[in-house]
Amino acid sequence: MFWNVTLTLLSGLGTTIQIFFLTLLFALPLGLVIAFGSMSRLTPLRWLCNTLVWIVRGTPLMLQLIGFMYIPGILGNNIWDGEAGRMTATVVAFSINYACYFSEIYRGGIEDVPKGQTEAGQVLGMTRSQIFFKVTLLQVVKRILPPMGNEVITLVKDTSLANVIANKEIIMMAKEYSAKGLIWPLFSTAIFFLVFVGALTLLLDWAEKKMDYFRC
């Protein structure tokens, strides 16, 4: 029984890990795009990005998941059909949600870089793209790594919300046993999350130490 339960939970953990990495894959670059939009000189674009961030940060992720999953069907176009559809809806909702949070971290990091360094690059004849990638970006990475790490760890735990729309992640697999009167699998999922978060914490600590030479 123990091994059967463990194997079932591991299959759910695979779904959890898939949601986690796919979310990061799409949310990290999308967050940078939204950050640039929120700092744009074009008022309509800046307003659009800031409004998106406000809406996403002001509403629960669970509600966003339910909305992405069921609103298309209510409108007569069920684009999230089957298990693959539920996973796609989950990744889309998670990616947009975390991209908005990442965008604020990116924006804060970019604006925190002293303007004098940008001006120095201009005096040296560097283009705006050269200044961003060779002067600004590396300093931004150093500044945003701790808050970005906190969001990444939060994402690990937020993946459990995916079971709201019937994704078979680890919590949902454990809840199926709870419905049968077997409660320990649900609490044992904490071990999987602790190990996952512990590994990420070590990785993030290592990354911060590697970036120490970018201190200003």
Side-chain angles (χ1 to χ4, degrees):
M1 170 64 77
F2 174 79
W3 291 113
N4 289 336
V5 172
T6 301
L7 290 174
T8 301
L9 294 180
L10 286 174
S11 69
L13 181 63
T15 302
T16 295
I17 293 173
Q18 186 179 2
I19 294 170
F20 172 79
F21 281 108
L22 286 174
T23 298
L24 286 183
L25 178 65
F26 296 112
L28 287 170
L30 179 58
L32 189 58
V33 172
I34 296 173
F36 284 138
S38 66
M39 295 185 294
S40 174
R41 296 178 181 177
L42 298 174
T43 301
L45 178 60
R46 187 173 64 251
W47 181 87
L48 178 63
C49 291
N50 288 332
T51 301
L52 174 64
V53 171
W54 173 66
I55 293 173
V56 169
R57 294 177 70 194
T59 55
L61 177 55
M62 182 185 295
L63 185 60
Q64 294 166 26
L65 277 167
I66 295 171
F68 271 99
M69 181 65 195
Y70 297 114
I71 288 177
I74 293 172
L75 297 176
N77 185 18
N78 187 16
I79 57 176
W80 313 122
D81 190 25
E83 186 174 340
R86 291 194 299 272
M87 174 60 76
T88 303
T90 300
V91 172
V92 170
F94 269 77
S95 297
I96 294 175
N97 180 279
Y98 272 85
C100 289
Y101 282 94
F102 290 159
S103 71
E104 289 298 285
I105 297 174
Y106 285 135
R107 185 177 62 82
I110 292 171
E111 292 179 347
D112 194 40
V113 176
K115 293 183 178 180
Q117 298 192 22
T118 301
E119 294 169 354
Q122 292 172 340
V123 170
L124 293 173
M126 299 174 69
T127 63
R128 293 185 64 179
S129 60
Q130 288 175 328
I131 292 171
F132 178 76
F133 287 105
K134 295 184 179 181
V135 178
T136 304
L137 184 60
L138 295 177
Q139 297 182 54
V140 168
V141 172
K142 169 63 181 177
R143 285 173 165 82
I144 70 174
L145 202 53
M148 192 70 77
N150 288 335
E151 289 297 326
V152 170
I153 289 174
T154 300
L155 172 59
V156 175
K157 295 174 286 184
D158 278 351
T159 56
S160 62
L161 293 173
N163 75 84
V164 171
I165 55 175
N167 281 288
K168 294 183 178 180
E169 47 75 57
I170 189 170
I171 296 293
M172 183 174 181
M173 302 303 284
K175 285 168 67 177
E176 290 180 357
Y177 285 105
S178 299
K180 301 175 183 177
L182 196 63
I183 194 66
W184 69 262
L186 183 60
F187 291 101
S188 68
T189 59
I191 298 174
F192 294 99
F193 281 103
L194 286 171
V195 171
F196 197 176
V197 169
L200 279 175
T201 301
L202 292 174
L203 180 61
L204 290 167
D205 287 343
W206 172 83
E208 286 188 40
K209 291 177 181 177
K210 293 292 286 185
M211 298 296 292
D212 276 347
Y213 57 86
F214 288 120
R215 285 177 180 169
C216 298

